[in-house]
Amino acid sequence: MGSLSTNPLSPVTSPLATQKRLERKPDIHQVVLGDILFDTWYPSFYPDELVGKELDRLYVCQWCFKYTKDQPHHLSHIKLCPLKKEPVGELIYSQGNHGIYEIDGESHQLFAQNLSLFAKLFLDNKSVFFDVGSFDYYLLAHTPSPSCALTSPQILGFFSKEKMSWDNNNLACILVFPPWQRKGLGKILMGVSYELSKREGRYGGPEKPLSELGRRGYVQFWEARIARTILSMPGKKKAMSVMEVARECWVLTDDVRESLKRMGVLGARRKDGGVAVSKKAVREWAARTGVDLTPPVREDAFLGR
């Protein structure tokens, strides 16, 4: 990944951001994350006594997510922020310039609440920010190379996960911040969430219903993961059942079946009631769509697990 910088205080906009802004009620119109200015999409729950009922611009620290409506206060804070050199939490994954930091919401309540308040500006169907102690948070950070002008890690997004999920959800909330969307970073977060649940020995998936943006991301992620699994089977095995695919790639059976339907590669129903999926059909699908089958995360990049 190249430089993360954009023109300071030059708005980062997109058609989706404009559409979301038109759909929502006025609240906070724009946010400055460090020195990057961009539009918000939805209302959040920032306290009226600190932010007000409507605000043109909110300033948020890119390291600890503390917020203010006062620019001088913001500039003073980011010079001295204690998290400027290293994100909070434990580094559990490192690949190239990307790292994942695991945070216990109970141990870092203020950070988790501030992160959740910020995330709500871009999430429509998520509202829980006060019960952060029940969640773990996984921050995706970009660590600059020595030759880069930036000297501090930049948090690009995150996902949260319930510590105890009765539905075996391996992810509750996921967000790549708007300036860094459409760069494939969501796949890293999804890949880490599945690898963690695999290492815990349980099948899981994201909490549903998914947002429109989340659903699009997961459709691409599941299809590529499933195709990669099937095509990596031993050469002599020409087909496998939906259940076998689910077991091999640690994706819920329903998600596998729906993905295979979209891909158009489900075969005929077998005598045992299962449905076979042929490697040939998947290989043709991959060639036709040009899907990238490179794994978004590497197993050997996890630290101490």
Side-chain angles (χ1 to χ4, degrees), residues 233-274:
M233 289 189 308
K236 293 182 180 180
K237 192 167 186 178
K238 297 182 179 180
M240 62 196 308
S241 70
V242 172
M243 291 290 291
E244 287 178 304
V245 175
R247 283 197 299 268
E248 287 295 319
C249 64
W250 291 83
V251 175
L252 294 174
T253 305
D254 287 346
D255 293 331
V256 170
R257 184 177 293 107
E258 290 303 313
S259 296
L260 292 170
K261 285 181 181 177
R262 283 191 302 269
M263 295 162 68
V265 297
L266 277 178
R269 187 167 295 276
R270 305 187 310 189
K271 292 181 180 179
D272 61 3

Side-chain angles (χ1 to χ4, degrees), residues 12 46 89 93 117 157 169 192 195 214 225 227 264 283 294 300:
V12 178
Y46 286 101
Y93 179 87
L117 284 170
N169 294 325
V192 168
E195 184 61 30
R225 185 180 180 92
R283 190 178 295 111
T294 306
D300 62 356

Side-chain angles (χ1 to χ4, degrees), residues 6 18 42 52 59 73 89 93 102 108 122 125 139 148 150 166 171 177 195 208 211 229 231 238 251 254 288 290 305:
T6 62
T18 302
Y42 302 104
Y59 297 89
H73 182 211
Y93 179 87
E102 181 181 58
H108 301 280
F122 311 100
N125 60 343
L139 304 180
C148 183
L150 295 173
W166 298 109
L171 183 148
F177 302 150
E195 184 61 30
K208 296 173 182 176
S211 67
T229 298
L231 295 177
K238 297 182 179 180
V251 175
D254 287 346
R288 185 171 63 252
R305 291 183 178 240

Side-chain angles (χ1 to χ4, degrees), residues 91-96 98-100 199 297-304:
L91 181 65
I92 65 165
Y93 179 87
S94 180
Q95 181 180 352
H98 292 129
I100 297 285
R199 290 168 184 241
V297 298
R298 287 176 19 199
E299 293 186 14
D300 62 356
F302 284 83
L303 308 176

Side-chain angles (χ1 to χ4, degrees), residues 59-108:
Y59 297 89
V60 178
C61 175
Q62 68 266 48
W63 300 299
C64 71
F65 295 91
K66 288 184 177 179
Y67 53 89
T68 179
K69 59 182 180 181
D70 182 70
Q71 185 183 33
H73 182 211
H74 171 69
L75 295 175
S76 297
H77 168 81
I78 61 176
K79 289 180 180 179
L80 303 172
C81 179
L83 302 183
K84 188 172 184 177
K85 295 299 182 183
E86 184 78 9
V88 67
E90 176 189 1
L91 181 65
I92 65 165
Y93 179 87
S94 180
Q95 181 180 352
N97 291 116
H98 292 129
I100 297 285
Y101 290 80
E102 181 181 58
I103 298 163
D104 183 340
E106 180 67 29
S107 302
H108 301 280

Side-chain angles (χ1 to χ4, degrees), residues 113-130:
Q113 287 175 349
N114 287 338
L115 174 64
S116 299
L117 284 170
F118 176 76
K120 182 63 185 73
L121 293 170
F122 311 100
L123 296 169
D124 185 24
N125 60 343
K126 301 294 181 181
S127 60
V128 176
F129 71 93
F130 44 85

